[in-house]
Amino acid sequence: MLKTLIIASHPTYDDSLSQRFFSESAKIPNVTLHLLDKVVGDFDLAIELEKLQGIDRLILQFPLYWYQVPAKMKAWIDTVWEAAKPYLLNKEIGFALSTGVAAKEFQLGGKEGASFSEILRPLTLMAQKYQMTILPVLVLDQLMYKTETEKRRFVIDYQQLLTMEAPFSFAAKQQWFRQRLETLAENPSLAPLFAQLIQNQETLSELEEALAEMEAYE
C-alpha cells in the first residue's frame, strides 16, 4: 500500500475551515500529515528528511497566496528540497489547493486569467528535476458554498489523491472503491453494493478486451 506524506501550510490554520476539512479527510491509514506552521522557528533539516524516508507519494497542500505557496512552505522548500533528492527521486507528487475564488475562474477568459497548471509551474519544474510523477491537481474552491453532497464527493476525490494507485483511470477508481468496500464487507447492508461493483468491474474488463481485439484487426 502507498505511503503518503502531506506537507501542509496555512498561516492561520486553526481558523481555516478548508484546511480543517482537508485534515479531517486525511485521517486514513498510511497517510501522514505534517503541518509546517506548527513548527516553531527554523526547520531542522535532519528531522524533515526523516519524514520523507520511505514515502511513495508527496502531497503539497496549501492555499494560494498571491498565486504562490505560503511563506512557511517556501521556507520548507528552501531548507529541504535540494537535500531531499535521494528520498524523492522517481516518487510521486500531487498538489491539493484551496482558494476562495471559484475554480472555473482559473483559465483563459476567467477572472484570474491563468490555469492552475501555469501557477504551479515552478513546483512542477522542481519535481521534474527528480523525475517525479506529477499527479492531477485537486482544488477545493469556495468550501462555504458547497452542498453536503459536493463535500462528500470532494472527500472521495481527496482520499483517492492520497491513496489510489496511479494513473488515475476509471478502472483504478473502481478498484479503489472495491478495496474500501472490502474493509466494510462484514456489514450486510453493503453486500448488494459490493456485488454490483464487482459485476461492473468485470463488465469493464470485458469491454476493454473487446476493444483491444477490434483495434488489433484494424
Side-chain angles (χ1 to χ4, degrees):
M1 184 176 288
L2 287 171
K3 182 179 180 182
T4 299
L5 174 65
I6 306 168
I7 299 293
S9 178
H10 193 296
T12 56
Y13 172 81
D14 292 332
D15 298 323
S16 170
L17 178 62
S18 295
Q19 292 304 310
R20 293 202 306 274
F21 186 73
F22 271 130
S23 297
E24 289 299 315
S25 303
K27 292 179 179 179
I28 49 180
N30 293 309
V31 174
T32 301
L33 175 63
H34 181 27
L35 297 173
L36 299 182
D37 297 273
K38 299 296 184 180
V39 177
V40 179
D42 296 335
F43 292 107
D44 185 311
L45 179 59
I47 292 175
E48 298 304 319
L49 291 178
E50 184 178 358
K51 294 181 183 298
L52 295 173
Q53 181 71 43
I55 68 166
D56 301 297
R57 181 173 293 174
L58 177 69
I59 302 296
L60 298 184
Q61 179 176 298
F62 55 93
L64 284 179
Y65 266 65
W66 289 108
Y67 313 102
Q68 303 177 60
V69 300
K72 196 73 172 183
M73 181 169 286
K74 180 60 167 62
W76 183 86
I77 290 171
D78 290 345
T79 301
V80 174
W81 201 261
E82 184 174 0
K85 182 175 182 178
Y87 305 91
L88 299 179
L89 190 65
N90 297 317
K91 299 300 176 65
E92 298 175 343
I93 187 169
F95 304 94
L97 311 182
S98 59
T99 172
V101 179
K104 67 180 181 181
E105 302 297 347
F106 289 87
Q107 59 180 322
L108 290 177
K111 291 181 180 179
E112 299 301 323
S115 68
F116 292 110
S117 294
E118 292 175 285
I119 293 169
L120 293 173
R121 186 61 175 159
L123 297 176
T124 58
L125 286 171
M126 286 171 22
Q128 289 171 3
K129 284 287 186 181
Y130 296 164
Q131 291 82 55
M132 301 182 76
T133 298
I134 300 171
L135 304 173
V137 64
L138 183 66
V139 179
L140 177 58
D141 65 323
Q142 299 185 314
L143 175 62
M144 69 291 294
Y145 299 122
K146 292 193 180 300
T147 66
E148 289 304 311
T149 298
E150 290 171 332
K151 289 177 182 177
R152 288 194 292 270
R153 176 67 256 180
F154 183 85
V155 169
I156 292 173
D157 291 341
Y158 180 56
Q159 292 187 347
Q160 287 177 342
L161 175 66
L162 300 181
T163 63
M164 188 169 68
E165 296 282 350
F168 292 178
S169 63
F170 178 69
K173 291 185 177 183
Q174 278 205 319
Q175 180 64 21
W176 186 88
F177 278 112
R178 178 176 179 174
Q179 290 171 347
R180 293 303 175 278
L181 287 173
E182 283 176 344
T183 64
L184 302 174
E186 294 181 0
N187 186 339
S189 64
L190 291 176
L193 179 60
F194 183 62
Q196 183 63 50
L197 181 62
I198 298 298
Q199 182 178 350
N200 289 347
Q201 190 171 39
E202 291 173 349
T203 300
L204 177 64
S205 298
E206 291 172 358
L207 287 172
E208 289 176 341
E209 291 175 359
L211 286 172
E213 290 180 4
M214 291 172 63
E215 290 173 355
Y217 284 104
E218 288 181 353

